[in-house]
């Protein structure tokens, strides 16, 4: 099919006047680079669903792409099945959600639509709570403003894994023109009420939060959808109302106060840290735009704030959950997270699981899972009854961190003191990242090839004692594109391409025994991590 014919066929079926106008203009001007960018390839449906820039054509997120995805999902599920649909407040999220409902009900399925823009963990909770067969949420999480995405959950309330993703992708490829799809029946559409949010809040406020509540929290939803639900959960649990950054309180798909809507990015937390200093707050909390992640900071007397790493929060949450639950339990994290969790599990006599990156794998680590986390500030906190959300949940995590911080404050301490306690008990596990964002994805492939062809013998002055090519699978894990180096002196480096962004990510860890002051161990760890970063940058050639 010629490019012009492909463009005209897309135009003929596109129900969106905005993308039709965009494409018509490009066609009239015959903007070949722009047309080739949109039609030279397509967004592929994988284990993260779909995610990409908004715009016209198969290589963009738009109504045609979404309707095709919904039709593929409908083919895999079959008539009579029940799908819950959620969405965030990004551009066109509500439109994509309603298009999904129209296609699913047109294929004879039953759709339940959440009552408005809501956190992703509410959708994950609702799938299991309502006994649905699958769920869809329209979100691009913390991607740039011009992106959107489409994430699918299965009946257990967790994100899909192979082979379901491949089945859906294959089914999508068989979908014809979307303007010929039957819409709005014979299946049924139920528009859910706010009671589903109340049910979610009841579930997360039943977590082991402890009994301390005296805490002042500075909070930001980062222009996302977490604010109202988190506030409702805090009040229901008996905490003070968190004070939100006014400029970031309400959902705004343009994210006007941040250059990148991710609480881990430089500058994203500046307004919240300033608010914490003004309030003399005890704790800083943030959600990413769809509220499945949670960032945590401890305000310092000088008006600054010590933001905790995902691994530090993971260690604190893990020990709290383990000491507040009983029975045969498991905790789990990923191959790129800190090794601290394995030592905490061993010390407390609970089972430990290690998975590939992504919560879709963590949730399937094994029976009795009461806590799982990934270093990218994602956590799922459970109780004796198990996990209320089978995915990362930034609101349940925020509640639990607040409970830990309130108990520490009651004893005249902070989360930083608890981190020092863990360092003395298990050794100081210091982690850091080195990331390279690229505009040309071939640069990432070239860097991985260089490492495989010319593997380093030492990094940061430490000998490489073992190198694992994760494409071959490791320890029973499925193959994945990644390299892991175990270094002399209890250190580790993992290098992998990001699954959701044009980034190459490097995960570094050094473990320093604490024989004297923890601050000395932290300073040594910082020097060791800097040395690792310097050598790794050279080895990657980026």
């Amino acid at each position: 099919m010629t490019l012009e014919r492909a463009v005209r066929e897309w135009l003929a079926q596109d129900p969106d006047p905005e993308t039709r106008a965009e494409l018509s203009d490009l066609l009239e001007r015959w903007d070949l680079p722009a047309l080739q960018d949109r039609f030279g390839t397509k967004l592929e449906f994988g284990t993260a669903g779909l995610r990409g820039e908004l715009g016209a054509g198969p290589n963009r997120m738009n109504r045609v792409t979404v309707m095709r995805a919904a039709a593929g999902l409908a083919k895999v599920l079959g008539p009579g099945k029940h799908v819950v649909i959620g969405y965030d407040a990004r551009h066109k999220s509500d439109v994509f959600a309603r298009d999904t409902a129209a296609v699913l009900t047109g294929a004879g399925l039953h759709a339940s639509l959440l009552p408005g823009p809501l956190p992703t963990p509410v959708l994950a909770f609702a799938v299991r709570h309502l006994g649905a067969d699958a769920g869809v949420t329209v979100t691009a999480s913390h991607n740039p403003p011009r992106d959107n995405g489409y994430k699918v959950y299965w009946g257990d309330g967790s994100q899909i894994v192979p082979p379901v993703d491949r089945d859906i992708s294959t089914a999508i490829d068989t979908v014809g023109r979307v303007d010929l799809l039957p819409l709005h029946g014979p299946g049924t559409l139920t528009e859910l009420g706010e009671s589903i949010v109340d049910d979610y809040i009841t579930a997360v406020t039943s977590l082991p939060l402890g009994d301390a509540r005296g805490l002042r929290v500075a909070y930001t939803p980062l222009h996302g959808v977490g604010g109202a639900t988190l506030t409702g959960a805090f009040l229901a649990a008996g905490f003070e109302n968190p004070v939100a950054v006014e400029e970031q309180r309400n959902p705004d798909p343009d994210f006007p106060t941040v250059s990148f809507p991710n609480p881990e990015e430089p500058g994203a937390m500046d307004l919240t840290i300033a608010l914490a200093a003004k309030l003399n707050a005890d704790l800083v909390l943030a959600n990413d735009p769809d509220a499945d992640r949670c960032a945590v900071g401890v305000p310092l007397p000088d008006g600054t704030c010590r933001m905790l790493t995902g691994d530090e929060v993971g260690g604190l949450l893990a020990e709290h959950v383990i000491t507040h639950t009983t029975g045969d339990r498991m905790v789990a994290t990923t191959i790129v997270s800190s090794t601290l969790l394995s030592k905490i599990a061993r010390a407390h006599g609970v089972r430990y699981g290690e998975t590939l990156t992504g919560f879709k794998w963590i949730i399937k680590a094994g029976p009795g899972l009461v806590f799982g986390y990934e270093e990218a500030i994602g956590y799922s906190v459970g109780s004796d009854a198990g996990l209320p959300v089978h995915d990362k949940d930034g609101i349940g995590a925020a509640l639990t961190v607040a409970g830990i911080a309130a108990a520490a404050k009651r004893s005249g301490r902070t989360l930083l003191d608890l981190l020092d306690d863990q360092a003395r008990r298990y050794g100081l596990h210091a982690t850091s990242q080195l990331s390279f964002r690229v505009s040309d994805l071939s640069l990432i492939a070239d860097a991985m090839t260089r490492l495989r062809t010319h593997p380093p013998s030492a990094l940061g002055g430490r000998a490489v004692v073992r190198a694992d090519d994760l494409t071959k699978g490791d320890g029973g894990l499925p193959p994945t594109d990644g390299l892991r180096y175990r270094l002399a002196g209890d250190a580790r480096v993992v290098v992998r391409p990001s699954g959701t962004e044009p980034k190459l990510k490097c995960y570094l860890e050094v473990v320093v025994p604490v024989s004297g002051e923890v601050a000395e161990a932290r300073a040594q760890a910082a020097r060791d991590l800097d040395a690792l970063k310097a050598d790794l940058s050279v080895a990657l050639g980026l």
Side-chain angles (χ1 to χ4, degrees), residues 72-135:
L73 175 61
K75 287 189 177 188
V76 171
L77 286 169
K81 295 298 176 69
H82 179 198
V83 181
V84 187
I85 304 166
Y87 57 99
D88 66 10
R90 283 179 176 265
H91 291 294
K92 294 191 181 293
S93 285
D94 57 340
V95 176
F96 293 164
R98 291 201 171 271
D99 281 342
T100 298
V103 172
L104 292 177
T105 55
L109 286 79
H110 305 295
S112 293
L113 186 66
L114 292 186
L118 285 167
T120 291
V122 175
L123 179 279
F125 166 81
V127 172
R128 291 177 64 234
H129 186 66
L130 299 176
D133 299 289

Side-chain angles (χ1 to χ4, degrees), residues 239-313:
F239 288 100
E240 286 184 23
N241 190 6
V243 181
V245 173
E246 188 61 38
E247 300 94 322
Q248 299 172 340
R249 175 194 299 273
N250 297 318
D252 188 329
D254 293 318
F255 307 105
T257 67
V258 293
S259 57
F260 204 90
N262 180 348
E264 292 185 290
E265 290 289 329
M269 295 298 298
D270 287 355
L271 291 176
T272 320
I273 292 169
L275 175 64
K278 179 181 177 182
L279 296 173
N280 193 26
D282 305 302
L283 185 67
V284 164
L285 293 173
N287 290 130
D288 67 339
D290 71 328
D292 63 352
R293 289 175 169 85
C294 175
V296 179
V298 178
L300 301 177
D302 64 0
T304 62
C305 180
R306 160 85 147 80
M307 295 302 299
L308 275 57
T309 68
D311 286 314
E312 289 174 327
V313 176

Side-chain angles (χ1 to χ4, degrees), residues 209-251:
L209 306 179
D211 59 1
R213 293 293 183 269
L215 198 71
R216 182 173 297 136
V217 176
Y219 167 71
T220 179
L222 217 60
H223 297 296
V225 296
T229 306
L230 180 135
T231 297
F234 266 67
L235 293 177
F239 288 100
E240 286 184 23
N241 190 6
V243 181
V245 173
E246 188 61 38
E247 300 94 322
Q248 299 172 340
R249 175 194 299 273
N250 297 318

Side-chain angles (χ1 to χ4, degrees), residues 14-34:
D14 189 351
D16 190 333
E18 185 176 330
T19 47
R20 281 204 315 272
E22 172 194 339
L23 203 51
S24 296
D25 176 64
L26 294 175
L27 185 62
E28 183 178 347
R29 293 187 288 109
W30 193 244
D31 187 335
L32 188 58

